[in-house]
């Protein structure tokens, strides 16, 4: 599963990155690294870009970039 597969309210932890693209390397500098936990806040009407909560800040990603980040699901705390 990748970040692009998440739906609004889903939480996930990054477990792998395909860092071949230069745009993905820039996102890694911003904190999208293995072990980082994110929450999907949703997306635009067409679904692109997507918005995530990362370390207390909202981050918007193109779906094509989000596909480079493999994630595992984290249960939502109630």
């Amino acid at each position: 599963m990748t970040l692009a597969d998440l739906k609004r309210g889903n939480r996930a932890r990054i477990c792998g990155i395909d860092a071949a693209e230069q745009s993905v390397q820039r996102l890694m500098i911003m904190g999208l690294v293995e072990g980082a936990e994110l929450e999907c806040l949703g997306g635009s009407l067409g679904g692109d870009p997507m918005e995530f909560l990362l370390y207390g800040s909202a981050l918007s990603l193109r779906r094509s970039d989000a596909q480079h980040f493999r994630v595992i699901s984290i249960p939502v705390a109630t």
Side-chain angles (χ1 to χ4, degrees), residues 40-67:
C40 182
L41 299 177
S44 66
L45 290 176
D48 198 13
M50 301 177 73
E51 188 173 25
F52 299 93
L53 183 63
L54 173 68
Y55 301 121
S57 296
L59 176 69
S60 292
L61 296 179
R62 292 183 299 230
R63 188 172 289 277
S64 60
D65 286 334
Q67 291 174 341

Side-chain angles (χ1 to χ4, degrees), residues 3 13 15 18 37-38 42 54 68 71-72 77:
L3 282 177
R13 180 179 301 117
C15 62
D18 175 13
E37 295 184 6
L38 303 99
L54 173 68
H68 293 280
V71 297
I72 55 173

Side-chain angles (χ1 to χ4, degrees), residues 9-58:
N10 291 155
R11 292 179 43 85
R13 180 179 301 117
I14 297 174
C15 62
I17 303 169
D18 175 13
E21 298 287 327
Q22 205 169 37
S23 61
V24 174
Q25 293 173 12
R26 285 192 297 270
L27 292 169
M28 291 172 67
I29 292 170
M30 296 174 61
L32 285 170
V33 294
E34 287 188 34
E37 295 184 6
L38 303 99
E39 179 180 346
C40 182
L41 299 177
S44 66
L45 290 176
D48 198 13
M50 301 177 73
E51 188 173 25
F52 299 93
L53 183 63
L54 173 68
Y55 301 121
S57 296

